[in-house]
Amino acid sequence: MNDAEILSLYPAGYAQARARFLAAAHAAHATIDSQVLSGYTDAAGDALTLDAAYLGPQDASRVLVMLAGTHGSEGYAASPLLTAFLPQAQQRLSQQEDMGVLLVHAVNPYGFAHVMRTNEHNVDLNRNFIDFSKPVPGNPEYQALHALLCPADRGEAGAGAAQAALDAWVAEHGQASFFDALFRGQYEVPEGLIYGGAERQWSNLALQNLAERFLGRARRIAFIDWHTGLGEYGKSFFLCFNEFGGPEWERCCAWWGRDAVETKGGFNGAARPRYSGLVFQGMRRFCAQAEFAGAVIEFGTTPPDATIAGLQLDNRLRFDAALDDARRAALLEQAMESFCPQDPRWRIDVMQEGLAISHRALEGLCAWP
C-alpha cells in the first residue's frame, strides 16, 4: 500500500470503520460473527456491534487472535490495521494448513462510537476480567486520589487547586506509587478513572462467546490486543503478560525481539503497575487448553503526563454536565488527538509497523513446533 491508500483506511467514525472491516471480511471469505450491544446505539441511532472475522479451518490448531477497540476510542487506529491485514492474512493462509486468524473489531463498540475509552457503564474493559465471585482487588490509594484526579469543580480554579494537591501527593509518595495507584485499576469508584466494574461486562461475555465458537480446538494461540497511548510517539510499545522467562515469553521475544518485549512499564522507566483484570488474562482463561503467547501492543501518542490528562478528559466528557456544545466538541477533538492523532506520518508509521508486527506473529505461529 502507498501512503495515500494507508491514510484512506482511517475512518471518520464507528459506522464507517465497521462497514470497511465487514466489507474486507466478506471479500476475504471470512466467517463473520456479529454480537449486538442491546439497548445502545451510535449518534445516528444505529445498532452497536462487536464483529469478528475468522479465516481458515474452524478446527485449526494454531490461531492468531487480534483485538481492536478494547478501549473504544483507540479503535480508530486499530480498526484500519485489522481491515488492511484481512486480505494479507487470507493470502498467507492459502499457503498454510491448520492455521486460523480471528480478528475482533470494536471490543468496546459504545466507546468506539462515542469516542470514549470506557464502555457504556464507564468500565475500563481492560480491568474487567477478574473473578467477580471473589472480593475485588482493593486500591485505597486511588480512593485517596480520586477527588484530585476528577475534581467536583472542573473550572480553572478548582482544577488548579486539585492539580496542586495531586502534585504534592506525588512529591510525598513518589511517581511510581502514583502510576501504580492509577493504572492498576480500581473497583470502588464507578465514576472514577480506570474503573474495572462490579460485574462482568457485555464485552467480556462476548469475547468468551467468540473463544468458545472459534478457539476451542486451538492448541497454540498468538495474541495481540492493539492499543494507543503509551510509548514513544508513533512507535510500538510491548506489554507482554506471559510469565517472565517462561517458554511463551521466550516465544514472544523470538517473534518481536527481546529488546521490544522486555520493557518496563512505559511510565518514565518506572516498573509496571500491578495490573488486574486484563483482557489478555481473560482470553487466556477462555482458551485454557492452548499454549497462549502474546502481548498488549501500544503505539505511542503522548508522554505519560499527557496520557493521564487524556484519561481525565475522557472522564470529563462523560460526567461534566455543565459542558456546552461548543466546548464539548472541542474536547472531543482533543480526546481524539490523544488516541489517534491526525498527523499523517503517525498514521502511516503505525499502519506499516502494525502490519509488520502482525506478520511476524503469523510467521512465528507457523513455525511453532
Side-chain angles (χ1 to χ4, degrees):
M1 287 187 294
N2 61 37
D3 289 356
E5 290 170 329
I6 289 173
L7 293 174
S8 71
L9 288 175
Y10 281 83
Y14 161 80
Q16 186 181 68
R18 179 176 188 249
R20 289 176 175 176
F21 176 77
L22 291 177
H26 283 295
H29 306 290
T31 299
I32 296 172
D33 184 294
S34 296
Q35 300 178 69
V36 177
L37 176 59
S38 179
Y40 296 91
T41 65
D42 64 11
D46 294 326
L48 300 175
T49 62
L50 181 156
D51 299 294
Y54 184 87
L55 297 168
Q58 293 202 19
D59 61 351
S61 68
R62 302 163 189 255
V63 183
L64 169 63
V65 180
M66 300 203 302
L67 310 185
T70 298
H71 291 145
S73 47
E74 297 175 24
Y76 284 89
S79 169
L81 174 57
L82 264 58
T83 299
F85 185 65
L86 266 163
Q88 299 178 13
Q90 180 195 26
Q91 182 178 12
R92 181 64 183 86
L93 292 186
S94 69
Q95 307 163 18
Q96 183 76 36
E97 296 182 356
D98 194 31
M99 283 276 296
V101 170
L102 176 64
L103 305 180
V104 186
H105 186 268
V107 174
N108 175 6
Y110 180 92
F112 199 147
H114 295 280
V115 195
M116 291 185 174
R117 189 174 182 273
T118 52
N119 80 344
E120 59 276 10
H121 302 302
N122 192 45
V123 171
D124 183 325
L125 293 174
N126 212 28
R127 303 297 185 275
N128 184 243
F129 289 75
I130 63 170
D131 182 352
F132 283 100
S133 70
K134 300 177 180 178
V136 299
N139 188 347
E141 294 83 2
Y142 178 83
Q143 292 186 63
L145 291 170
H146 172 71
L148 308 181
L149 289 162
C150 304
D153 177 2
R154 300 189 188 244
E156 184 175 346
Q163 186 61 51
L166 184 62
D167 291 343
W169 192 97
V170 174
E172 179 181 354
H173 297 277
Q175 194 172 63
S177 295
F178 171 60
F179 287 148
D180 180 65
L182 175 58
F183 285 102
R184 68 173 131 142
Q186 56 89 16
Y187 299 84
E188 294 88 3
V189 188
E191 68 279 13
L193 303 181
I194 313 188
Y195 172 58
E199 61 185 2
R200 292 182 67 190
Q201 297 295 290
W202 175 86
S203 296
N204 184 326
L205 299 169
L207 285 178
Q208 183 174 6
N209 291 340
L210 290 178
E212 291 172 352
R213 179 176 180 186
F214 294 112
L215 303 175
R217 299 182 184 180
R219 292 296 175 266
R220 294 172 179 83
I221 292 174
F223 177 82
I224 300 174
D225 186 11
W226 293 107
H227 288 258
T228 62
L230 293 178
E232 183 182 349
Y233 184 79
K235 303 297 183 183
S236 60
F237 181 84
F238 289 73
L239 288 165
C240 179
F241 294 100
N242 290 119
E243 179 185 0
F244 179 78
E248 293 162 335
W249 178 281
E250 291 299 321
R251 198 161 301 283
C252 292
C253 292
W255 296 345
W256 297 312
R258 189 170 300 278
D259 288 345
V261 172
E262 293 190 352
T263 58
K264 290 190 176 181
F267 306 99
N268 295 335
R272 289 184 186 178
R274 293 168 288 172
Y275 297 110
S276 59
L278 300 175
V279 173
F280 183 100
Q281 296 160 341
M283 289 294 291
R284 182 162 198 175
R285 285 197 306 274
F286 300 156
C287 306
Q289 83 287 347
E291 296 178 79
F292 190 100
V296 171
I297 302 178
E298 304 253 3
F299 281 100
T301 58
T302 57
D305 289 348
T307 298
I308 294 166
L311 297 175
Q312 293 171 300
L313 173 57
D314 186 79
N315 184 270
R316 184 179 182 187
L317 283 165
R318 183 183 292 272
F319 291 110
D320 188 353
L323 288 174
D324 59 33
D325 290 346
R327 182 59 175 153
R328 181 173 293 278
L331 291 179
L332 273 172
E333 184 176 346
Q334 184 180 337
M336 190 70 179
E337 194 67 16
S338 297
F339 297 110
C340 186
Q342 292 288 331
D343 176 9
R345 189 71 259 161
W346 187 91
R347 293 185 170 200
I348 292 165
D349 289 348
V350 164
M351 176 67 79
Q352 291 176 337
E353 188 172 1
L355 288 173
I357 289 168
S358 303
H359 283 290
R360 288 200 292 272
L362 193 57
E363 294 306 315
L365 188 63
C366 291
W368 196 337

